[in-house]
PDB file of all heavy atoms in Angstrom:
ATOM      1  N   GLY A 229     101.413  99.755  93.372  1.00 98.00           N
ATOM      2  CA  GLY A 229     101.453 101.032  94.069  1.00 98.00           C
ATOM      3  C   GLY A 229     100.124 101.743  94.029  1.00 98.00           C
ATOM      4  O   GLY A 229      99.119 101.235  93.512  1.00 98.00           O
ATOM      5  N   LEU A 230     100.122 102.933  94.582  1.00 98.00           N
ATOM      6  CA  LEU A 230      98.933 103.779  94.605  1.00 98.00           C
ATOM      7  C   LEU A 230      99.371 105.223  94.706  1.00 98.00           C
ATOM      8  O   LEU A 230     100.510 105.528  95.039  1.00 98.00           O
ATOM      9  CB  LEU A 230      98.020 103.384  95.773  1.00 98.00           C
ATOM     10  CG  LEU A 230      98.569 103.479  97.204  1.00 98.00           C
ATOM     11  CD1 LEU A 230      98.465 104.893  97.785  1.00 98.00           C
ATOM     12  CD2 LEU A 230      97.846 102.508  98.123  1.00 98.00           C
ATOM     13  N   TYR A 231      98.428 106.139  94.413  1.00 98.00           N
ATOM     14  CA  TYR A 231      98.714 107.558  94.593  1.00 98.00           C
ATOM     15  C   TYR A 231      97.450 108.271  95.037  1.00 98.00           C
ATOM     16  O   TYR A 231      96.323 107.756  94.915  1.00 98.00           O
ATOM     17  CB  TYR A 231      99.273 108.193  93.317  1.00 98.00           C
ATOM     18  CG  TYR A 231      98.234 108.498  92.255  1.00 98.00           C
ATOM     19  CD1 TYR A 231      97.647 109.765  92.166  1.00 98.00           C
ATOM     20  CD2 TYR A 231      97.836 107.538  91.337  1.00 98.00           C
ATOM     21  CE1 TYR A 231      96.692 110.040  91.195  1.00 98.00           C
ATOM     22  CE2 TYR A 231      96.898 107.805  90.371  1.00 98.00           C
ATOM     23  CZ  TYR A 231      96.321 109.061  90.301  1.00 98.00           C
ATOM     24  OH  TYR A 231      95.374 109.330  89.348  1.00 98.00           O
ATOM     25  N   GLY A 232      97.634 109.464  95.606  1.00 97.00           N
ATOM     26  CA  GLY A 232      96.505 110.251  96.068  1.00 97.00           C
ATOM     27  C   GLY A 232      96.967 111.583  96.631  1.00 97.00           C
ATOM     28  O   GLY A 232      98.115 111.986  96.451  1.00 97.00           O
ATOM     29  N   ILE A 233      96.055 112.237  97.329  1.00 96.00           N
ATOM     30  CA  ILE A 233      96.261 113.579  97.856  1.00 96.00           C
ATOM     31  C   ILE A 233      96.334 113.528  99.376  1.00 96.00           C
ATOM     32  O   ILE A 233      95.518 112.852 100.018  1.00 96.00           O
ATOM     33  CB  ILE A 233      95.103 114.513  97.439  1.00 96.00           C
ATOM     34  CG1 ILE A 233      94.932 114.532  95.926  1.00 96.00           C
ATOM     35  CG2 ILE A 233      95.309 115.927  97.989  1.00 96.00           C
ATOM     36  CD1 ILE A 233      96.107 115.067  95.175  1.00 96.00           C
ATOM     37  N   GLY A 234      97.281 114.240  99.966  1.00 95.00           N
ATOM     38  CA  GLY A 234      97.380 114.334 101.415  1.00 95.00           C
ATOM     39  C   GLY A 234      97.062 115.738 101.887  1.00 95.00           C
ATOM     40  O   GLY A 234      97.749 116.690 101.508  1.00 95.00           O
ATOM     41  N   LEU A 235      96.011 115.877 102.685  1.00 94.00           N
ATOM     42  CA  LEU A 235      95.667 117.155 103.316  1.00 94.00           C
ATOM     43  C   LEU A 235      95.527 116.923 104.807  1.00 94.00           C
ATOM     44  O   LEU A 235      94.616 116.201 105.248  1.00 94.00           O
ATOM     45  CB  LEU A 235      94.353 117.724 102.762  1.00 94.00           C
ATOM     46  CG  LEU A 235      94.323 118.166 101.298  1.00 94.00           C
ATOM     47  CD1 LEU A 235      92.925 118.681 100.944  1.00 94.00           C
ATOM     48  CD2 LEU A 235      95.364 119.248 101.042  1.00 94.00           C
ATOM     49  N   GLY A 236      96.432 117.517 105.588  1.00 93.00           N
ATOM     50  CA  GLY A 236      96.390 117.292 107.025  1.00 93.00           C
ATOM     51  C   GLY A 236      96.498 115.814 107.340  1.00 93.00           C
ATOM     52  O   GLY A 236      97.392 115.118 106.860  1.00 93.00           O
ATOM     53  N   GLY A 237      95.545 115.321 108.132  1.00 93.00           N
ATOM     54  CA  GLY A 237      95.551 113.921 108.518  1.00 93.00           C
ATOM     55  C   GLY A 237      94.725 113.028 107.619  1.00 93.00           C
ATOM     56  O   GLY A 237      94.415 111.891 107.998  1.00 93.00           O
ATOM     57  N   VAL A 238      94.358 113.500 106.439  1.00 96.00           N
ATOM     58  CA  VAL A 238      93.520 112.725 105.517  1.00 96.00           C
ATOM     59  C   VAL A 238      94.289 112.437 104.235  1.00 96.00           C
ATOM     60  O   VAL A 238      94.920 113.330 103.667  1.00 96.00           O
ATOM     61  CB  VAL A 238      92.216 113.481 105.172  1.00 96.00           C
ATOM     62  CG1 VAL A 238      91.341 112.643 104.243  1.00 96.00           C
ATOM     63  CG2 VAL A 238      91.446 113.845 106.449  1.00 96.00           C
ATOM     64  N   PHE A 239      94.234 111.182 103.789  1.00 97.00           N
ATOM     65  CA  PHE A 239      94.771 110.800 102.489  1.00 97.00           C
ATOM     66  C   PHE A 239      93.601 110.455 101.587  1.00 97.00           C
ATOM     67  O   PHE A 239      92.776 109.597 101.909  1.00 97.00           O
ATOM     68  CB  PHE A 239      95.699 109.596 102.610  1.00 97.00           C
ATOM     69  CG  PHE A 239      96.336 109.196 101.303  1.00 97.00           C
ATOM     70  CD1 PHE A 239      97.466 109.841 100.846  1.00 97.00           C
ATOM     71  CD2 PHE A 239      95.792 108.180 100.529  1.00 97.00           C
ATOM     72  CE1 PHE A 239      98.057 109.485  99.635  1.00 97.00           C
ATOM     73  CE2 PHE A 239      96.370 107.815  99.324  1.00 97.00           C
ATOM     74  CZ  PHE A 239      97.509 108.471  98.876  1.00 97.00           C
ATOM     75  N   PHE A 240      93.523 111.132 100.437  1.00 98.00           N
ATOM     76  CA  PHE A 240      92.451 110.910  99.473  1.00 98.00           C
ATOM     77  C   PHE A 240      92.993 110.005  98.372  1.00 98.00           C
ATOM     78  O   PHE A 240      93.727 110.456  97.491  1.00 98.00           O
ATOM     79  CB  PHE A 240      91.985 112.245  98.880  1.00 98.00           C
ATOM     80  CG  PHE A 240      91.461 113.229  99.903  1.00 98.00           C
ATOM     81  CD1 PHE A 240      92.331 114.041 100.616  1.00 98.00           C
ATOM     82  CD2 PHE A 240      90.103 113.349 100.132  1.00 98.00           C
ATOM     83  CE1 PHE A 240      91.861 114.955 101.553  1.00 98.00           C
ATOM     84  CE2 PHE A 240      89.617 114.261 101.059  1.00 98.00           C
ATOM     85  CZ  PHE A 240      90.498 115.066 101.772  1.00 98.00           C
ATOM     86  N   GLY A 241      92.654 108.728  98.437  1.00 97.00           N
ATOM     87  CA  GLY A 241      93.157 107.789  97.461  1.00 97.00           C
ATOM     88  C   GLY A 241      92.547 108.016  96.089  1.00 97.00           C
ATOM     89  O   GLY A 241      91.340 108.263  95.966  1.00 97.00           O
ATOM     90  N   GLU A 242      93.372 107.935  95.049  1.00 97.00           N
ATOM     91  CA  GLU A 242      92.901 108.156  93.691  1.00 97.00           C
ATOM     92  C   GLU A 242      92.918 106.878  92.851  1.00 97.00           C
ATOM     93  O   GLU A 242      91.943 106.565  92.184  1.00 97.00           O
ATOM     94  CB  GLU A 242      93.744 109.241  93.010  1.00 97.00           C
ATOM     95  CG  GLU A 242      93.246 110.636  93.290  1.00 97.00           C
ATOM     96  CD  GLU A 242      91.843 110.869  92.769  1.00 97.00           C
ATOM     97  OE1 GLU A 242      91.552 110.510  91.613  1.00 97.00           O
ATOM     98  OE2 GLU A 242      91.012 111.389  93.529  1.00 97.00           O
ATOM     99  N   SER A 243      94.017 106.152  92.833  1.00 96.00           N
ATOM    100  CA  SER A 243      94.071 104.946  92.019  1.00 96.00           C
ATOM    101  C   SER A 243      95.204 104.056  92.521  1.00 96.00           C
ATOM    102  O   SER A 243      96.125 104.524  93.195  1.00 96.00           O
ATOM    103  CB  SER A 243      94.283 105.294  90.537  1.00 96.00           C
ATOM    104  OG  SER A 243      94.167 104.156  89.719  1.00 96.00           O
ATOM    105  N   MET A 244      95.113 102.767  92.187  1.00 96.00           N
ATOM    106  CA  MET A 244      96.152 101.809  92.546  1.00 96.00           C
ATOM    107  C   MET A 244      96.312 100.812  91.407  1.00 96.00           C
ATOM    108  O   MET A 244      95.440 100.693  90.540  1.00 96.00           O
ATOM    109  CB  MET A 244      95.815 101.096  93.860  1.00 96.00           C
ATOM    110  CG  MET A 244      94.493 100.381  93.865  1.00 96.00           C
ATOM    111  SD  MET A 244      94.194  99.431  95.394  1.00 96.00           S
ATOM    112  CE  MET A 244      94.348 100.700  96.634  1.00 96.00           C
ATOM    113  N   PHE A 245      97.428 100.105  91.404  1.00 97.00           N
ATOM    114  CA  PHE A 245      97.660  99.106  90.368  1.00 97.00           C
ATOM    115  C   PHE A 245      98.484  97.968  90.924  1.00 97.00           C
ATOM    116  O   PHE A 245      99.184  98.106  91.937  1.00 97.00           O
ATOM    117  CB  PHE A 245      98.387  99.720  89.160  1.00 97.00           C
ATOM    118  CG  PHE A 245      99.871  99.891  89.361  1.00 97.00           C
ATOM    119  CD1 PHE A 245     100.767  98.960  88.858  1.00 97.00           C
ATOM    120  CD2 PHE A 245     100.372 100.979  90.075  1.00 97.00           C
ATOM    121  CE1 PHE A 245     102.136  99.103  89.056  1.00 97.00           C
ATOM    122  CE2 PHE A 245     101.738 101.131  90.263  1.00 97.00           C
ATOM    123  CZ  PHE A 245     102.630 100.194  89.760  1.00 97.00           C
ATOM    124  N   SER A 246      98.399  96.814  90.252  1.00 96.00           N
ATOM    125  CA  SER A 246      99.199  95.636  90.589  1.00 96.00           C
ATOM    126  C   SER A 246      99.686  94.987  89.315  1.00 96.00           C
ATOM    127  O   SER A 246      98.910  94.808  88.367  1.00 96.00           O
ATOM    128  CB  SER A 246      98.378  94.616  91.376  1.00 96.00           C
ATOM    129  OG  SER A 246      98.087  95.046  92.677  1.00 96.00           O
ATOM    130  N   ARG A 247     100.941  94.629  89.298  1.00 96.00           N
ATOM    131  CA  ARG A 247     101.484  93.813  88.213  1.00 96.00           C
ATOM    132  C   ARG A 247     101.761  92.397  88.665  1.00 96.00           C
ATOM    133  O   ARG A 247     102.039  91.530  87.839  1.00 96.00           O
ATOM    134  CB  ARG A 247     102.762  94.467  87.676  1.00 96.00           C
ATOM    135  CG  ARG A 247     102.483  95.765  86.915  1.00 96.00           C
ATOM    136  CD  ARG A 247     103.747  96.493  86.534  1.00 96.00           C
ATOM    137  NE  ARG A 247     103.454  97.682  85.736  1.00 96.00           N
ATOM    138  CZ  ARG A 247     104.282  98.717  85.612  1.00 96.00           C
ATOM    139  NH1 ARG A 247     105.477  98.696  86.211  1.00 96.00           N
ATOM    140  NH2 ARG A 247     103.930  99.761  84.882  1.00 96.00           N
ATOM    141  N   VAL A 248     101.740  92.168  89.975  1.00 96.00           N
ATOM    142  CA  VAL A 248     101.799  90.820  90.543  1.00 96.00           C
ATOM    143  C   VAL A 248     100.727  90.738  91.613  1.00 96.00           C
ATOM    144  O   VAL A 248     100.224  91.758  92.097  1.00 96.00           O
ATOM    145  CB  VAL A 248     103.192  90.507  91.140  1.00 96.00           C
ATOM    146  CG1 VAL A 248     104.274  90.608  90.083  1.00 96.00           C
ATOM    147  CG2 VAL A 248     103.509  91.430  92.319  1.00 96.00           C
ATOM    148  N   ALA A 249     100.371  89.549  91.998  1.00 94.00           N
ATOM    149  CA  ALA A 249      99.271  89.346  92.934  1.00 94.00           C
ATOM    150  C   ALA A 249      99.490  90.113  94.238  1.00 94.00           C
ATOM    151  O   ALA A 249     100.573  90.056  94.831  1.00 94.00           O
ATOM    152  CB  ALA A 249      99.106  87.860  93.223  1.00 94.00           C
ATOM    153  N   ASP A 250      98.453  90.844  94.651  1.00 94.00           N
ATOM    154  CA  ASP A 250      98.374  91.510  95.955  1.00 94.00           C
ATOM    155  C   ASP A 250      99.293  92.717  96.116  1.00 94.00           C
ATOM    156  O   ASP A 250      99.377  93.278  97.211  1.00 94.00           O
ATOM    157  CB  ASP A 250      98.653  90.533  97.108  1.00 94.00           C
ATOM    158  CG  ASP A 250      97.573  89.481  97.255  1.00 94.00           C
ATOM    159  OD1 ASP A 250      96.430  89.749  96.846  1.00 94.00           O
ATOM    160  OD2 ASP A 250      97.872  88.390  97.777  1.00 94.00           O
ATOM    161  N   ALA A 251      99.968  93.174  95.063  1.00 96.00           N
ATOM    162  CA  ALA A 251     100.905  94.286  95.233  1.00 96.00           C
ATOM    163  C   ALA A 251     100.193  95.573  95.636  1.00 96.00           C
ATOM    164  O   ALA A 251     100.724  96.346  96.443  1.00 96.00           O
ATOM    165  CB  ALA A 251     101.702  94.499  93.949  1.00 96.00           C
ATOM    166  N   SER A 252      99.001  95.842  95.098  1.00 96.00           N
ATOM    167  CA  SER A 252      98.286  97.050  95.500  1.00 96.00           C
ATOM    168  C   SER A 252      97.823  96.945  96.945  1.00 96.00           C
ATOM    169  O   SER A 252      97.789  97.948  97.671  1.00 96.00           O
ATOM    170  CB  SER A 252      97.103  97.313  94.573  1.00 96.00           C
ATOM    171  OG  SER A 252      96.141  96.283  94.654  1.00 96.00           O
ATOM    172  N   LYS A 253      97.457  95.740  97.376  1.00 96.00           N
ATOM    173  CA  LYS A 253      97.066  95.547  98.779  1.00 96.00           C
ATOM    174  C   LYS A 253      98.250  95.809  99.700  1.00 96.00           C
ATOM    175  O   LYS A 253      98.103  96.410 100.769  1.00 96.00           O
ATOM    176  CB  LYS A 253      96.532  94.133  98.990  1.00 96.00           C
ATOM    177  CG  LYS A 253      95.216  93.846  98.296  1.00 96.00           C
ATOM    178  CD  LYS A 253      94.753  92.424  98.586  1.00 96.00           C
ATOM    179  CE  LYS A 253      93.438  92.113  97.899  1.00 96.00           C
ATOM    180  NZ  LYS A 253      92.983  90.730  98.181  1.00 96.00           N
ATOM    181  N   VAL A 254      99.426  95.360  99.289  1.00 96.00           N
ATOM    182  CA  VAL A 254     100.637  95.612 100.085  1.00 96.00           C
ATOM    183  C   VAL A 254     100.869  97.116 100.220  1.00 96.00           C
ATOM    184  O   VAL A 254     101.193  97.614 101.306  1.00 96.00           O
ATOM    185  CB  VAL A 254     101.853  94.921  99.436  1.00 96.00           C
ATOM    186  CG1 VAL A 254     103.163  95.375 100.083  1.00 96.00           C
ATOM    187  CG2 VAL A 254     101.716  93.410  99.539  1.00 96.00           C
ATOM    188  N   ALA A 255     100.675  97.861  99.133  1.00 97.00           N
ATOM    189  CA  ALA A 255     100.835  99.314  99.189  1.00 97.00           C
ATOM    190  C   ALA A 255      99.851  99.929 100.175  1.00 97.00           C
ATOM    191  O   ALA A 255     100.222 100.797 100.977  1.00 97.00           O
ATOM    192  CB  ALA A 255     100.637  99.912  97.798  1.00 97.00           C
ATOM    193  N   LEU A 256      98.596  99.502 100.133  1.00 97.00           N
ATOM    194  CA  LEU A 256      97.589 100.081 101.020  1.00 97.00           C
ATOM    195  C   LEU A 256      97.848  99.733 102.475  1.00 97.00           C
ATOM    196  O   LEU A 256      97.674 100.573 103.367  1.00 97.00           O
ATOM    197  CB  LEU A 256      96.192  99.611 100.598  1.00 97.00           C
ATOM    198  CG  LEU A 256      95.031 100.244 101.359  1.00 97.00           C
ATOM    199  CD1 LEU A 256      95.013 101.763 101.183  1.00 97.00           C
ATOM    200  CD2 LEU A 256      93.695  99.646 100.904  1.00 97.00           C
ATOM    201  N   VAL A 257      98.278  98.508 102.740  1.00 96.00           N
ATOM    202  CA  VAL A 257      98.586  98.124 104.121  1.00 96.00           C
ATOM    203  C   VAL A 257      99.719  98.980 104.673  1.00 96.00           C
ATOM    204  O   VAL A 257      99.638  99.498 105.799  1.00 96.00           O
ATOM    205  CB  VAL A 257      98.942  96.624 104.198  1.00 96.00           C
ATOM    206  CG1 VAL A 257      99.515  96.277 105.574  1.00 96.00           C
ATOM    207  CG2 VAL A 257      97.711  95.764 103.914  1.00 96.00           C
ATOM    208  N   HIS A 258     100.780  99.173 103.908  1.00 96.00           N
ATOM    209  CA  HIS A 258     101.893  99.994 104.381  1.00 96.00           C
ATOM    210  C   HIS A 258     101.463 101.446 104.567  1.00 96.00           C
ATOM    211  O   HIS A 258     101.873 102.105 105.530  1.00 96.00           O
ATOM    212  CB  HIS A 258     103.072  99.898 103.409  1.00 96.00           C
ATOM    213  CG  HIS A 258     103.942  98.708 103.638  1.00 96.00           C
ATOM    214  ND1 HIS A 258     104.979  98.707 104.543  1.00 96.00           N
ATOM    215  CD2 HIS A 258     103.917  97.469 103.092  1.00 96.00           C
ATOM    216  CE1 HIS A 258     105.568  97.532 104.539  1.00 96.00           C
ATOM    217  NE2 HIS A 258     104.943  96.757 103.661  1.00 96.00           N
ATOM    218  N   LEU A 259     100.640 101.964 103.646  1.00 97.00           N
ATOM    219  CA  LEU A 259     100.146 103.326 103.799  1.00 97.00           C
ATOM    220  C   LEU A 259      99.333 103.466 105.072  1.00 97.00           C
ATOM    221  O   LEU A 259      99.553 104.394 105.870  1.00 97.00           O
ATOM    222  CB  LEU A 259      99.287 103.704 102.590  1.00 97.00           C
ATOM    223  CG  LEU A 259      98.536 105.035 102.711  1.00 97.00           C
ATOM    224  CD1 LEU A 259      99.517 106.201 102.713  1.00 97.00           C
ATOM    225  CD2 LEU A 259      97.516 105.175 101.579  1.00 97.00           C
ATOM    226  N   ALA A 260      98.391 102.557 105.308  1.00 96.00           N
ATOM    227  CA  ALA A 260      97.533 102.643 106.485  1.00 96.00           C
ATOM    228  C   ALA A 260      98.342 102.579 107.771  1.00 96.00           C
ATOM    229  O   ALA A 260      98.118 103.362 108.709  1.00 96.00           O
ATOM    230  CB  ALA A 260      96.490 101.527 106.450  1.00 96.00           C
ATOM    231  N   ARG A 261      99.302 101.686 107.831  1.00 94.00           N
ATOM    232  CA  ARG A 261     100.094 101.556 109.051  1.00 94.00           C
ATOM    233  C   ARG A 261     101.020 102.751 109.257  1.00 94.00           C
ATOM    234  O   ARG A 261     101.237 103.186 110.390  1.00 94.00           O
ATOM    235  CB  ARG A 261     100.885 100.242 109.007  1.00 94.00           C
ATOM    236  CG  ARG A 261      99.964  99.034 109.124  1.00 94.00           C
ATOM    237  CD  ARG A 261     100.676  97.718 109.012  1.00 94.00           C
ATOM    238  NE  ARG A 261      99.764  96.614 109.345  1.00 94.00           N
ATOM    239  CZ  ARG A 261     100.067  95.336 109.245  1.00 94.00           C
ATOM    240  NH1 ARG A 261     101.271  94.988 108.810  1.00 94.00           N
ATOM    241  NH2 ARG A 261      99.190  94.410 109.562  1.00 94.00           N
ATOM    242  N   HIS A 262     101.534 103.296 108.173  1.00 94.00           N
ATOM    243  CA  HIS A 262     102.354 104.498 108.288  1.00 94.00           C
ATOM    244  C   HIS A 262     101.514 105.678 108.773  1.00 94.00           C
ATOM    245  O   HIS A 262     101.939 106.431 109.661  1.00 94.00           O
ATOM    246  CB  HIS A 262     102.991 104.819 106.937  1.00 94.00           C
ATOM    247  CG  HIS A 262     103.918 105.983 106.976  1.00 94.00           C
ATOM    248  ND1 HIS A 262     105.203 105.898 107.469  1.00 94.00           N
ATOM    249  CD2 HIS A 262     103.750 107.282 106.590  1.00 94.00           C
ATOM    250  CE1 HIS A 262     105.800 107.083 107.383  1.00 94.00           C
ATOM    251  NE2 HIS A 262     104.941 107.936 106.849  1.00 94.00           N
ATOM    252  N   LEU A 263     100.319 105.853 108.221  1.00 94.00           N
ATOM    253  CA  LEU A 263      99.451 106.945 108.660  1.00 94.00           C
ATOM    254  C   LEU A 263      99.065 106.776 110.124  1.00 94.00           C
ATOM    255  O   LEU A 263      99.078 107.742 110.896  1.00 94.00           O
ATOM    256  CB  LEU A 263      98.200 107.003 107.787  1.00 94.00           C
ATOM    257  CG  LEU A 263      98.388 107.378 106.316  1.00 94.00           C
ATOM    258  CD1 LEU A 263      97.056 107.347 105.587  1.00 94.00           C
ATOM    259  CD2 LEU A 263      99.043 108.737 106.167  1.00 94.00           C
ATOM    260  N   ALA A 264      98.705 105.567 110.516  1.00 93.00           N
ATOM    261  CA  ALA A 264      98.319 105.326 111.895  1.00 93.00           C
ATOM    262  C   ALA A 264      99.453 105.658 112.858  1.00 93.00           C
ATOM    263  O   ALA A 264      99.215 106.154 113.969  1.00 93.00           O
ATOM    264  CB  ALA A 264      97.888 103.870 112.065  1.00 93.00           C
ATOM    265  N   ALA A 265     100.689 105.407 112.451  1.00 91.00           N
ATOM    266  CA  ALA A 265     101.843 105.654 113.323  1.00 91.00           C
ATOM    267  C   ALA A 265     102.222 107.127 113.395  1.00 91.00           C
ATOM    268  O   ALA A 265     102.896 107.538 114.347  1.00 91.00           O
ATOM    269  CB  ALA A 265     103.044 104.837 112.831  1.00 91.00           C
ATOM    270  N   HIS A 266     101.800 107.936 112.407  1.00 90.00           N
ATOM    271  CA  HIS A 266     102.281 109.310 112.326  1.00 90.00           C
ATOM    272  C   HIS A 266     101.166 110.356 112.260  1.00 90.00           C
ATOM    273  O   HIS A 266     101.365 111.438 111.710  1.00 90.00           O
ATOM    274  CB  HIS A 266     103.198 109.468 111.106  1.00 90.00           C
ATOM    275  CG  HIS A 266     104.441 108.637 111.206  1.00 90.00           C
ATOM    276  ND1 HIS A 266     105.398 108.812 112.180  1.00 90.00           N
ATOM    277  CD2 HIS A 266     104.863 107.587 110.454  1.00 90.00           C
ATOM    278  CE1 HIS A 266     106.359 107.926 112.024  1.00 90.00           C
ATOM    279  NE2 HIS A 266     106.063 107.172 110.982  1.00 90.00           N
ATOM    280  N   GLY A 267     100.022 110.050 112.828  1.00 89.00           N
ATOM    281  CA  GLY A 267      98.989 111.066 112.956  1.00 89.00           C
ATOM    282  C   GLY A 267      97.955 111.103 111.870  1.00 89.00           C
ATOM    283  O   GLY A 267      97.066 111.956 111.902  1.00 89.00           O
ATOM    284  N   GLY A 268      98.025 110.230 110.876  1.00 93.00           N
ATOM    285  CA  GLY A 268      96.986 110.184 109.857  1.00 93.00           C
ATOM    286  C   GLY A 268      95.704 109.624 110.428  1.00 93.00           C
ATOM    287  O   GLY A 268      95.726 108.691 111.230  1.00 93.00           O
ATOM    288  N   ARG A 269      94.570 110.158 110.006  1.00 95.00           N
ATOM    289  CA  ARG A 269      93.310 109.782 110.625  1.00 95.00           C
ATOM    290  C   ARG A 269      92.329 109.072 109.696  1.00 95.00           C
ATOM    291  O   ARG A 269      91.454 108.364 110.166  1.00 95.00           O
ATOM    292  CB  ARG A 269      92.626 111.028 111.205  1.00 95.00           C
ATOM    293  CG  ARG A 269      93.483 111.850 112.155  1.00 95.00           C
ATOM    294  CD  ARG A 269      93.930 111.026 113.361  1.00 95.00           C
ATOM    295  NE  ARG A 269      92.821 110.631 114.194  1.00 95.00           N
ATOM    296  CZ  ARG A 269      92.336 111.359 115.203  1.00 95.00           C
ATOM    297  NH1 ARG A 269      92.892 112.532 115.496  1.00 95.00           N
ATOM    298  NH2 ARG A 269      91.324 110.928 115.930  1.00 95.00           N
ATOM    299  N   LEU A 270      92.461 109.282 108.388  1.00 97.00           N
ATOM    300  CA  LEU A 270      91.418 108.776 107.500  1.00 97.00           C
ATOM    301  C   LEU A 270      91.973 108.610 106.086  1.00 97.00           C
ATOM    302  O   LEU A 270      92.756 109.437 105.617  1.00 97.00           O
ATOM    303  CB  LEU A 270      90.246 109.767 107.473  1.00 97.00           C
ATOM    304  CG  LEU A 270      88.964 109.344 106.754  1.00 97.00           C
ATOM    305  CD1 LEU A 270      88.268 108.235 107.534  1.00 97.00           C
ATOM    306  CD2 LEU A 270      88.035 110.542 106.595  1.00 97.00           C
ATOM    307  N   ILE A 271      91.563 107.522 105.413  1.00 98.00           N
ATOM    308  CA  ILE A 271      91.850 107.322 103.997  1.00 98.00           C
ATOM    309  C   ILE A 271      90.523 107.349 103.251  1.00 98.00           C
ATOM    310  O   ILE A 271      89.625 106.552 103.538  1.00 98.00           O
ATOM    311  CB  ILE A 271      92.563 105.984 103.746  1.00 98.00           C
ATOM    312  CG1 ILE A 271      93.905 105.938 104.496  1.00 98.00           C
ATOM    313  CG2 ILE A 271      92.789 105.765 102.248  1.00 98.00           C
ATOM    314  CD1 ILE A 271      94.589 104.580 104.451  1.00 98.00           C
TER     315      ILE A 271
END
């Protein structure tokens, strides 16, 4: 997973972690696609 701050259309990423291979990448891909679909502009 990952966590960060959301202000308007910007997500400020703070940290991520993985306990199995590629899990943090999966989190970032889902975040990016969700933001792109709902007005987010920048990570």
Side-chain angles (χ1 to χ4, degrees):
L230 60 83
Y231 78 94
I233 304 297
L235 294 179
V238 182
F239 183 83
F240 300 83
E242 274 298 313
S243 188
M244 57 175 57
F245 79 98
S246 289
R247 290 173 176 158
V248 300
D250 293 334
S252 64
K253 292 181 180 180
V254 169
L256 186 60
V257 169
H258 276 274
L259 172 68
R261 291 177 171 175
H262 184 78
L263 294 178
H266 296 297
R269 306 300 295 271
L270 188 69
I271 299 172

